[in-house]
């Protein structure tokens, strides 16, 4: 319920306790302007939280404002779980001459009630075509400001402009945890129907609303940039201390240098010759940190149970500085690489992790007798060092960390490394809790580190407690984890969705990082090798880094599980090796997004219009001149497929480009076959990066059942998604009864025509399964995109089916296995059930596709 006008003594006390100076951002509305939004209807793109509702859907324009406390129900609360952005659209009833729009909000970061990263306002006369009225970027909060509640008022446009004539006013806000709003006001002339004549600026004079709500991130603020303040640290590779894995030269070299496995004849049993050919330096900084648990099974996270004890801390310290440990191996590896790269003076920067002693671990001193000097040190500090005498006070925890810091520095100095530079310490915890002792501990640790001339680094998880106040805790740099790579699949738009949908989390992370001057962490693991979805997510981190600027501007961390990237580096080829190469390009500031362009032509050289060209999940159509451009391609997404309309035969000359405009390819330059030939690439283009790329075009043959004339198989089979009582609906093409096998080894792809009754609202994934006579199966999940024309094709390259490449996991289809193309027995198309969505799909002809001149299989 709303608060009434009666101010009770209890309310008065609350106001006195919470009242602070109100903050107004942007210009003040003209004094004579009326609130044209008062009592007017509006729409909101997401619903308010049930605890802080927008009762009757009228509270944002009722003229009533709340007190400076989230306890007042006058505030309507909107939470991030409801959506990433929100739009409020006010209908003024008729075209008015409007001057500005103001929005009143509550700011109380300690309670999770945040200021928006930006506020955008738009105006329209028909609620369809929008003009951008203004964008405002509130300044980041000063340290210590997060605990105090305050009212903020944002006015747009921020600078004085002429009045504009509009009926609809739009306020666009990105959500960050929670936004609390009590009023939206539109200020202008309330002169009835003739008011619009008072407007001296038309909507046509304003810029259009940005496509996909993609506002510029740069004005929000800078990232945490590499430089003197970060000790020159730029690209940090995280290497966990995992006891079964020795961080030796063989494991470390692919991280500190970019290169390739040495030729077989150069490999020997000599451990000083690790079978690696370095070509350039790679990551400039290595972060060594424990995995979550010590070998004892106790956890280094202070909130974990059972928590680590002193014996585990001593293990970590001894592991760092073991004679054959990671630091000694890194020193040797850097010297070895420096000799081969003719750069003997090169140094690799090092960060070492500091865990936090758990206040709940009463037996923390277990194992103290293994280090008598440490025991003497703690006793000299007045601590009772016995198994059950650790009470977890701030003083105890601080003293343990001071000993750890000093012992690391002592041992580092004693080691006398020449190729390594200790850049600083890393806080192992991924949040700073709200507990006073935890916050005080981090601040005191930062002071100790700075007093010793070193730096302090942190990588909090997405929306971690205390992450936006990293400066307040004393960190020199903090890198935000987007955690996009680890999001459940049902929370990520499917492959083939518009890029702005797929990149939404990464864009939001980039906004947060800019807002609070943080860096970003790139996240991946070995699943990128065999899982197209996870590989695409990694490439989206890299594409977002290029698009949103953190590739060039920010301190970056790179999370990889144990030694996944080193394993990929030593692969002979395939997706894993390409990931390694593209990460190197990214670290060097080079875009990993690329494109293809070309023309679809008939055999006689005439242009073919309307041909569908697809690479992975990106598709386009040729224009009247046969031209096409596929841009924004990431990674190794699959095979180029070209479907010419009406069965027209077509050749497709391709040009691979970093960022294409269309390049002309004359008829004389056509390859003899529609397979991509490196010789057909434009001069100077890299023809080795995508050695598996192939172009599949017409002609195609309808699958024969062994008769002299081709026949139509499984024509117009109707599948209705969402109505099957089973999780999958499927339709199968069985080879003729009595046919022992069918040889597809001379063909290049299986294609299946399909047609939607209407264009689907979102991509639908279909799984094609090919089985051979021995029971082997190859499955490939292919997204079908919601686009015109509704006539499309599924395409499975048979070379992939034979090797198991890009396989979808199904029972009996283990990774790396394929099918015998000489003995194909059955093909199945499985259609997943889609809740709440009814889409009608028709499957048409089934084809085997080959290059020009390829004869059908006998």
């Amino acid at each position: 319920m709303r608060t009434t006008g009666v101010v009770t003594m209890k309310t008065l006390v609350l106001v006195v306790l919470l009242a602070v100076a109100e903050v107004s951002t942007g210009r003040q509305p003209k004094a004579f302007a009326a609130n044209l939004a008062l009592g007017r209807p509006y729409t909101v793109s997401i619903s308010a939280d049930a605890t802080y509702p927008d009762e009757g859907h009228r509270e944002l324009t009722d003229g009533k404002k709340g007190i400076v406390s989230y306890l007042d129900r006058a505030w309507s609360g909107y939470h991030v779980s409801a959506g990433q952005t929100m739009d409020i659209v006010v209908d003024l009833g008729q075209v008015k001459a409007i001057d500005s729009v103001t929005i009143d909000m509550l700011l109380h970061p300690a309670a999770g009630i945040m200021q928006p990263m930006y506020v955008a306002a738009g105006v329209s006369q028909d609620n369809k075509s929008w003009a951008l009225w203004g964008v405002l970027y509130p300044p980041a909060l000063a340290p210590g400001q997060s605990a105090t509640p305050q009212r903020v008022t944002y006015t747009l446009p921020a600078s004085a402009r002429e009045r504009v004539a509009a009926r609809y006013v739009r306020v666009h806000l990105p959500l960050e945890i929670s936004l609390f709003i009590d009023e939206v006001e539109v200020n202008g002339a309330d002169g009835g129907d003739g008011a619009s004549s008072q407007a001296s600026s038309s909507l046509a004079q304003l810029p259009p609303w940005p496509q996909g709500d993609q506002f510029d991130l740069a004005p929000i603020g800078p990232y945490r940039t590499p430089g003197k303040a970060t000790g020159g640290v730029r690209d940090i590779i995280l290497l966990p201390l995992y006891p079964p894995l020795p961080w030796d030269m063989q494991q470390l070299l692919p991280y500190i240098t970019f290169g390739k496995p040495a030729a077989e004849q150069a490999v020997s049993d000599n451990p000083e010759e690790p079978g690696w050919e370095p070509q350039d330096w790679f990551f400039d900084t290595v972060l060594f940190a424990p995995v979550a648990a010590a070998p004892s099974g106790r956890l280094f996270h202070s909130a974990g149970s059972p928590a680590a004890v002193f014996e585990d801390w001593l293990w970590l310290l001894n592991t760092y500085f073991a004679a054959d440990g990671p630091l000694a191996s890194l020193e040797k590896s850097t010297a070895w690489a420096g000799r081969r790269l003719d750069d003997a003076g090169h140094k690799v920067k090092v960060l070492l992790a500091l865990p936090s002693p758990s206040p709940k671990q009463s037996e923390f001193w277990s194992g103290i007798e293994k280090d008598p000097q440490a025991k003497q040190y703690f006793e000299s500090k007045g601590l009772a060092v016995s198994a059950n005498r650790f009470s977890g006070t701030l003083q105890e925890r601080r003293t343990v960390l001071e000993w750890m810091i000093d012992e690391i520095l002592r041992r580092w100095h004693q080691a006398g490394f020449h190729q390594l530079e200790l850049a600083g310490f890393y806080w192992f915890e991924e949040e700073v809790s709200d507990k006073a002792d935890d916050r005080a501990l981090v601040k005191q640790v930062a002071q100790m580190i700075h007093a010793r001339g070193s730096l302090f680094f942190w990588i909090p998880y997405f929306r971690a407690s205390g992450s936006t106040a990293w400066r307040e805790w004393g960190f020199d740099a903090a890198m935000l984890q987007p955690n996009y790579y680890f999001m459940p699949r049902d929370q990520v738009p499917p492959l083939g969705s518009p890029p702005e949908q797929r990149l939404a989390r990464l864009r939001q992370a980039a906004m947060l990082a800019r807002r609070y001057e943080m860096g970003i962490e790139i996240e991946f693991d070995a699943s990128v090798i065999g899982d197209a979805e996870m590989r695409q997510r990694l490439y989206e981190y890299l594409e977002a880094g290029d698009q949103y600027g953190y590739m060039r501007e920010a301190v970056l961390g790179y999370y990889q599980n144990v030694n996944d990237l080193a394993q990929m580096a030593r692969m002979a080829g395939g997706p894993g090796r390409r990931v390694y190469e593209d990460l190197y390009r990214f670290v060097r500031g080079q875009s990993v997004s690329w494109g293809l362009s070309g023309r679809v032509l008939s055999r006689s050289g005439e242009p073919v219009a309307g041909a569908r060209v697809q690479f992975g999940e990106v598709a386009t159509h040729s224009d009247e001149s046969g031209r096409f451009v596929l841009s924004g391609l990431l990674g190794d997404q699959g095979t180029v497929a070209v479907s010419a309309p009406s069965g027209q035969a077509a050749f497709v000359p391709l040009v691979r480009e970093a960022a294409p405009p269309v390049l002309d390819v004359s008829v004389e330059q056509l390859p003899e076959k529609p397979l991509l030939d490196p010789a057909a690439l434009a001069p100077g283009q890299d023809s080795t990066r995508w050695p598996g790329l192939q172009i599949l075009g017409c002609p195609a043959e309808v699958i024969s059942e062994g008769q002299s004339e081709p026949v139509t198989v499984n024509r117009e089979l109707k599948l209705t998604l969402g109505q099957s009582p089973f999780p999958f609906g499927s339709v199968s093409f069985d080879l003729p009864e009595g046919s022992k096998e069918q040889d597809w080894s001379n063909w290049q792809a299986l294609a299946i025509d399909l047609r939607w009754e209407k264009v689907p609202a979102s991509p639908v994934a279909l799984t094609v399964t090919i089985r051979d006579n021995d029971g082997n199966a190859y499955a490939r999940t292919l997204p079908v995109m919601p686009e015109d024309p509704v006539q499309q094709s599924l395409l499975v390259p048979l070379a992939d089916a034979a090797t198991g490449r890009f396989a979808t996991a199904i029972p009996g289809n283990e990774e790396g296995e394929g099918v015998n193309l000489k003995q194909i027995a059955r093909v199945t198309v499985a259609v997943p059930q889609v809740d709440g969505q009814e889409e009608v799909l028709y499957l048409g002809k089934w084809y085997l596709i080959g290059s020009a001149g390829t004869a059908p299989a006998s």
Side-chain angles (χ1 to χ4, degrees):
M1 294 178 61
R2 285 278 183 179
T3 54
T4 65
V6 179
V7 181
T8 64
M9 182 59 67
K10 181 178 179 180
T11 303
L12 180 61
V13 171
L14 183 63
V15 173
V16 171
L17 289 176
L18 295 179
V20 296
E22 296 188 1
V23 177
S24 180
T25 306
R27 67 184 176 90
Q28 294 301 306
K30 296 177 181 179
F32 57 82
N35 177 14
L36 306 179
L38 186 63
R40 294 302 308 167
Y42 57 87
T43 60
V44 185
S45 59
I46 63 174
S47 299
D49 185 79
T51 308
Y52 301 96
D54 177 5
E55 294 182 350
H57 212 56
R58 59 179 182 272
E59 293 189 2
L60 300 185
T61 59
D62 63 1
K64 300 177 182 178
K65 299 187 178 182
I67 63 173
V68 187
S69 168
Y70 63 81
L71 300 176
D72 190 347
R73 295 289 296 275
W75 298 102
S76 297
Y78 301 89
H79 301 315
V80 74
S81 58
Q84 297 301 318
T85 62
M86 65 179 294
D87 285 276
I88 304 168
V89 177
V90 180
D91 181 1
L92 303 180
Q94 61 187 38
V95 174
K96 299 279 188 178
I98 56 178
D99 172 71
S100 62
V101 58
T102 62
I103 180 168
D104 288 330
M105 305 179 68
L106 180 67
L107 174 61
H108 192 181
I113 303 170
M114 312 300 289
Q115 65 177 348
M117 288 172 282
Y118 64 85
V119 186
V123 284
S124 173
Q125 293 189 355
D126 58 5
N127 202 18
K128 295 179 182 179
S129 177
W130 287 91
L132 180 62
W133 204 13
V135 185
L136 187 149
Y137 298 88
L141 299 179
Q145 195 177 351
S146 61
T148 306
Q150 55 189 302
R151 173 188 294 278
V152 291
T153 299
Y154 302 109
T155 300
L156 291 101
S159 57
R161 280 184 177 172
E162 299 296 337
R163 282 178 166 161
V164 298
R167 171 176 173 175
Y168 299 92
V169 177
R170 172 184 183 181
V171 175
H172 178 78
L173 299 160
L175 284 173
E176 184 189 344
I177 306 180
S178 296
L179 294 179
F180 274 47
I181 306 170
D182 67 351
E183 200 69 17
V184 176
E185 300 176 340
V186 178
N187 310 290
D190 191 8
D193 293 341
S196 61
S197 63
Q198 301 179 39
S200 55
S201 178
S202 70
L203 301 191
Q205 296 173 294
L206 298 175
W209 190 268
Q211 187 175 4
D213 298 337
Q214 298 290 299
F215 294 93
D216 187 10
L217 274 64
I220 295 177
Y223 293 107
R224 188 53 165 160
T225 54
K228 184 178 180 180
T230 67
V233 168
R234 176 180 293 273
D235 293 287
I236 307 168
I237 183 67
L238 280 67
L239 301 183
L241 301 180
Y242 182 63
L245 173 71
W247 281 114
D248 54 20
M249 290 178 66
Q250 186 178 29
Q251 297 293 338
L252 288 168
L253 280 169
Y255 294 103
I256 63 170
T257 68
F258 172 76
K260 62 183 180 179
E264 186 174 346
Q265 60 270 22
V267 179
S268 70
D269 294 331
N270 184 354
E272 302 300 319
E273 293 297 333
W276 185 251
E277 294 182 8
Q279 298 169 344
D280 192 6
W281 296 109
F282 201 167
F283 295 103
D284 59 72
T285 305
V286 171
L287 164 57
F288 287 117
V291 292
S296 65
R298 291 182 289 263
L299 303 174
F300 282 108
H301 292 289
S302 64
S305 181
V309 299
F310 180 82
E311 182 179 12
D312 303 313
W313 282 56
L314 189 60
W315 168 84
L316 177 60
L317 186 62
N318 290 337
T319 299
Y320 283 151
F321 292 97
D324 59 349
L327 291 175
S329 294
L330 185 60
E331 167 85 356
K332 185 186 300 183
S333 300
T334 308
W336 182 91
R339 291 192 296 271
R340 281 150 183 80
L341 294 173
D342 196 23
D343 188 8
H346 181 86
K347 290 188 177 184
V348 171
K349 297 177 178 63
V350 175
L351 300 176
L352 296 178
L354 292 175
S356 173
S358 172
K360 299 178 181 179
Q361 178 54 279
S362 62
E363 299 183 358
F364 176 80
W365 298 118
S366 295
I368 188 69
E369 66 281 353
K370 294 184 177 181
D371 191 335
Q373 290 183 335
K375 181 178 180 181
Q376 182 179 0
Y377 171 88
F378 291 123
E379 288 177 341
S380 72
K381 297 291 184 178
L383 302 186
V385 182
S386 62
N388 296 305
R389 295 294 296 275
F390 189 81
S391 55
T393 64
L394 177 59
Q395 179 190 1
E396 287 176 315
R397 297 166 73 196
R398 180 193 184 280
T399 303
V400 169
L401 281 159
E402 186 172 25
W403 168 82
M404 187 72 164
I405 293 167
D406 286 340
E407 189 65 12
I408 286 175
L409 293 173
R410 183 187 70 79
R411 295 195 188 193
W412 183 278
H413 179 74
Q414 186 178 39
F417 296 121
H418 298 289
Q419 307 289 157
L420 307 183
E421 175 188 336
L422 183 60
F425 295 86
Y426 166 69
W427 190 241
F428 189 66
E429 302 286 350
E430 296 183 353
E431 68 173 354
V432 175
S433 77
D434 292 331
K435 297 178 181 177
D437 277 5
D438 288 349
R439 297 189 168 200
L441 178 65
V442 178
K443 288 183 177 181
Q444 292 179 20
V445 170
Q447 291 167 0
M448 290 187 288
I449 290 172
H450 292 152
R452 290 155 174 81
S454 196
L455 300 177
F456 201 18
F457 293 78
W458 189 35
I459 310 180
Y461 61 82
F462 195 69
R463 304 191 183 283
S465 174
S467 59
T468 59
W470 62 273
R471 286 185 181 276
E472 191 172 337
W473 316 132
F475 293 108
D476 295 286
M479 288 137 284
L480 178 67
Q481 302 176 31
N483 300 136
Y484 170 64
Y485 189 85
F486 304 105
M487 290 174 64
R489 290 182 186 251
D490 61 358
Q491 295 182 20
V492 175
L495 286 173
S497 299
E500 60 268 20
Q501 295 180 16
R502 292 277 300 184
L503 294 178
R505 165 61 76 89
L506 293 171
R507 180 176 173 81
Q508 189 177 27
M511 287 181 175
L512 284 169
R514 281 191 178 274
R515 161 63 64 230
Y516 298 105
E517 200 177 344
M518 303 173 76
I520 291 284
E521 181 180 74
I522 312 294
E523 301 158 317
F524 66 99
D525 58 24
S527 62
V528 299
I529 299 172
D531 189 324
E533 161 66 24
M534 304 313 292
R535 185 165 56 253
Q536 181 73 0
R537 291 194 196 185
L538 169 59
Y539 275 96
E540 285 162 348
Y541 276 84
L542 307 186
E543 171 68 4
D546 189 5
Q547 184 173 339
Y548 304 145
Y550 58 77
M551 177 177 75
R552 294 169 293 274
E553 303 170 26
V555 176
L556 300 176
Y558 298 79
Y559 171 87
Q560 48 99 56
N561 185 38
V562 191
N563 67 334
D564 287 349
L565 189 59
Q567 294 184 57
M568 289 185 249
R570 291 184 178 273
M571 292 179 176
R577 175 65 195 187
R578 293 191 192 99
V579 164
Y580 177 75
E581 293 173 358
D582 281 333
L583 278 170
Y584 167 73
R585 290 182 175 90
F586 181 84
V587 167
R588 287 288 171 265
Q590 301 172 15
S591 172
V592 299
S593 177
W594 59 285
L596 289 168
S597 69
R599 302 178 71 195
V600 182
L601 305 170
S602 69
R603 183 180 293 275
S604 61
E606 297 300 317
V608 177
R612 187 171 185 273
V613 185
Q614 178 175 347
F615 183 81
E617 285 69 54
V618 181
T620 189
H621 294 86
S622 59
D623 63 15
E624 293 300 320
S625 66
R627 298 179 185 275
F628 68 90
V629 177
L630 286 170
S631 58
L633 306 181
L634 302 175
D636 182 14
Q637 297 171 299
T639 301
V640 175
V642 178
S643 303
S646 305
Q648 290 177 270
F651 289 96
V652 185
L654 287 181
V655 177
R656 181 187 178 279
E657 307 161 29
V662 175
L663 297 184
D664 280 325
V665 181
S666 68
V667 175
E668 289 72 23
Q669 292 176 289
L670 289 177
E672 294 182 359
K673 297 180 180 180
L675 293 177
L676 183 64
D677 183 345
L681 293 171
Q685 297 297 320
D686 179 3
S687 61
T688 62
R689 183 178 174 195
W690 302 99
L693 185 65
Q694 55 181 334
I695 182 74
L696 299 170
C698 296
E701 296 285 344
V702 177
I703 291 177
S704 171
E705 293 189 346
Q707 302 176 14
S708 58
E709 297 294 330
V711 297
T712 300
V713 180
N714 285 354
R715 186 178 178 82
E716 298 291 289
L717 287 174
K718 182 175 180 180
L719 299 176
T720 303
L721 307 186
Q723 294 185 338
S724 170
F726 305 103
F728 292 92
S730 66
V731 59
S732 299
F733 158 61
D734 284 309
L735 298 183
E737 186 175 354
S739 174
K740 297 295 185 183
E741 59 190 31
Q742 211 172 73
D743 186 351
W744 289 3
S745 60
N746 289 332
W747 293 102
Q748 294 180 325
L750 167 70
I752 304 171
D753 283 350
L754 53 89
R755 178 172 60 83
W756 296 103
E757 190 169 90
K758 61 180 180 180
V759 179
S762 60
V764 178
L766 306 182
T767 300
V768 180
T769 304
I770 303 174
R771 299 183 185 275
D772 64 21
N773 231 22
D774 294 328
N776 300 312
Y778 173 81
R780 180 80 166 265
T781 299
L782 301 164
V784 180
M785 290 159 289
E787 61 166 285
D788 287 317
V790 292
Q791 180 73 43
Q792 299 179 23
S793 298
L794 298 177
L795 186 140
V796 180
L798 294 177
D800 293 347
T803 61
R805 189 168 180 256
F806 301 123
T808 299
I810 61 171
N813 179 35
E814 301 300 330
E815 183 178 354
E817 293 184 357
V819 293
N820 185 347
L821 294 180
K822 293 181 178 293
Q823 299 180 358
I824 300 301
R826 182 182 177 89
V827 181
T828 301
V829 179
V831 186
Q833 182 176 356
V834 183
D835 293 334
Q837 176 179 322
E838 181 178 317
E839 306 288 359
V840 178
L841 174 69
Y842 297 91
L843 294 183
K845 293 183 180 181
W846 303 53
Y847 300 90
L848 289 175
I849 297 180
S851 62
T854 300
S858 59

